[in-house]
C-alpha cells in the first residue's frame, strides 16, 4: 500500500540499482520495479519476520528476479558501489546517522533518500559535518502526521548560519505543507518547554535552547 509518505519518497528515486534499507513489507521495491523506476532493488531488514513478509509480497507479485532480499543491519548488506540510490525511511534520525556512519564509504558512493521519524535536527547536523550535502528536501503529510524527506549525497556544504535552520531550513518555507511542519514544530517545542517548566528538576540549559528555537520558529510565521 503506497501511502503519501511512501509516494513522496518514491518520487525522488532516480537510479538503476536501489537499496531499500529496513524495507518492512517491500512496498517501495515492488512499486519501483512494477513501474520501471528501477532495474533492480535490494530489500533488506534487520529482522527475519518483516523480511519473510517482504519475500511473500515480492513472490506474490512475481518479482523475485528483480528484487533480492537480504537479512542484516544498515548498509552492511551492501557492497561498495553496489547501489546508486539508498533509501533509509521510517527510522529515527539518530539511528539513520549511526547507520550512515557505520558504513560511510558505501553511503558516500550513493544518492541518499532519508526519511527520519524524529531528530531531523541531529540528522542534518550529522550530514553537514561528515562530508554530505543536502541537495533537496520534501514534506509529506498523512492526517496529523508530518514527515521530512531529506535527499543527500557526497559533497561539501557550508554549515547553516543559524543553528535553528537545522530544525527547519528556511528553504522549506515555500513548500505547500510548510504550515503543517510549522504547526508540528510549534507543538513539539511548547510541549517540551511546558514539561521543563512544570518539572521539579528544571533543566535551565534545555529550557533556554527550546525557548530560543520557539522564538526563531515564530519569525517564520511572517
Amino acid at each position: 500500500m503506497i501511502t503519501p509518505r511512501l509516494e513522496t519518497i518514491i518520487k525522488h528515486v532516480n537510479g538503476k540499482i536501489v537499496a531499500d534499507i529496513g524495507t518492512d513489507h517491500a512496498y517501495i521495491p515492488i512499486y519501483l520495479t512494477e513501474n520501471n523506476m528501477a532495474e533492480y532493488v535490494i530489500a533488506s531488514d534487520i529482522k527475519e519476520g518483516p523480511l519473510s513478509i517482504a519475500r511473500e509480497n515480492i513472490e506474490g507479485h512475481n518479482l523475485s528476479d528483480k528484487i533480492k532480499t537480504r537479512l542484516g543491519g544498515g548498509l552492511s548488506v551492501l557492497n561498495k558501489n553496489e547501489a546508486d540510490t539508498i533509501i533509509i525511511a521510517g527510522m529515527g534520525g539518530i539511528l539513520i546517522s549511526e547507520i550512515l556512519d557505520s558504513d560511510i564509504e558505501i553511503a558516500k558512493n550513493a544518492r541518499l533518500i532519508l526519511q527520519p521519524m524524529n531528530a531531523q535536527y541531529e540528522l542534518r547536523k550529522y550530514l553537514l559535518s561528515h562530508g554530505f550535502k543536502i541537495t533537496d528536501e520534501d514534506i509529506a503529510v498523512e492526517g496529523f502526521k508530518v514527515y521530512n524527506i531529506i535527499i543527500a549525497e557526497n559533497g561539501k556544504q557550508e554549515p547553516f548560519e543559524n543553528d535553528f535552520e537545522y530544525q527547519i531550513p528556511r528553504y522549506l518555507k515555500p513548500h505547500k505543507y510548510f504550515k503543517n511542519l510549522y504547526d508540528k514544530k510549534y507543538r513539539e517545542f511548547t510541549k517540551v518547554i511546558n514539561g521543563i517548566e512544570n518539572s521539579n528538576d528544571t533543566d535551565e540549559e534545555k529550557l533556554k535552547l527550546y525557548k530560543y528555537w520557539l522564538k526563531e520558529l515564530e519569525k517564520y510565521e511572517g
Side-chain angles (χ1 to χ4, degrees):
M1 182 175 66
I2 300 300
T3 63
R5 175 178 71 93
L6 299 184
E7 185 179 11
T8 306
I9 293 167
I10 286 166
K11 80 176 187 180
H12 289 280
V13 173
N14 181 21
K16 294 182 178 180
I17 311 299
V18 180
D20 184 25
I21 306 300
T23 193
D24 197 22
H25 290 71
Y27 292 139
I28 289 178
I30 289 169
Y31 186 94
L32 292 176
T33 49
E34 285 191 330
N35 290 275
N36 298 313
M37 295 179 69
E39 293 180 2
Y40 185 83
V41 182
I42 299 160
S44 78
D45 209 286
I46 196 169
K47 295 180 180 179
E48 180 60 48
L51 201 62
S52 294
I53 295 172
R55 287 194 194 102
E56 290 176 9
N57 289 338
I58 293 163
E59 290 167 4
H61 286 77
N62 297 313
L63 292 170
S64 298
D65 59 329
K66 291 186 176 181
I67 305 172
K68 297 302 177 185
T69 59
R70 294 181 187 175
L71 179 66
L75 305 184
S76 65
V77 298
L78 300 175
N79 297 315
K80 188 176 179 180
N81 295 322
E82 186 175 17
D84 53 46
T85 303
I86 296 173
I87 300 169
I88 310 177
M91 305 179 197
I94 292 174
L95 177 56
I96 292 175
S97 300
E98 291 171 349
I99 288 172
L100 298 176
D101 205 49
S102 294
D103 294 279
I104 197 164
E105 289 306 312
I106 291 175
K108 287 195 172 184
N109 280 278
R111 183 169 175 267
L112 307 174
I113 303 176
L114 313 173
Q115 185 268 299
M117 300 297 283
N118 54 41
Q120 295 87 356
Y121 172 87
E122 289 84 353
L123 178 56
R124 291 188 186 98
K125 283 218 160 187
Y126 171 82
L127 291 169
L128 268 63
S129 63
H130 287 79
F132 294 95
K133 61 181 179 180
I134 298 172
T135 59
D136 197 7
E137 288 205 38
D138 210 337
I139 304 169
V141 173
E142 292 180 11
F144 292 105
K145 295 182 179 179
V146 184
Y147 303 99
N148 289 90
I149 291 86
I150 300 171
I151 317 302
E153 60 186 43
N154 184 31
K156 182 174 176 57
Q157 180 175 344
E158 292 300 318
F160 291 125
E161 292 184 5
N162 187 331
D163 179 76
F164 175 72
E165 288 209 44
Y166 290 97
Q167 286 283 359
I168 305 182
R170 189 169 293 276
Y171 51 66
L172 287 175
K173 281 193 73 174
H175 197 284
K176 65 179 179 179
Y177 290 132
F178 178 79
K179 184 61 165 61
N180 302 75
L181 182 61
Y182 177 97
D183 290 343
K184 174 189 176 182
K185 284 297 183 182
Y186 189 91
R187 291 192 300 269
E188 177 187 327
F189 295 162
T190 53
K191 182 179 179 180
V192 172
I193 290 169
N194 291 335
I196 295 172
E197 290 180 334
N198 293 323
S199 172
N200 293 326
D201 185 20
T202 303
D203 186 336
E204 294 293 345
E205 285 300 313
K206 187 175 182 179
L207 180 61
K208 181 180 178 181
L209 178 62
Y210 272 81
K211 282 187 173 181
Y212 159 71
W213 281 343
L214 182 59
K215 184 178 179 181
E216 291 299 309
L217 178 66
E218 289 172 341
K219 291 179 182 178
Y220 279 25
E221 200 172 23

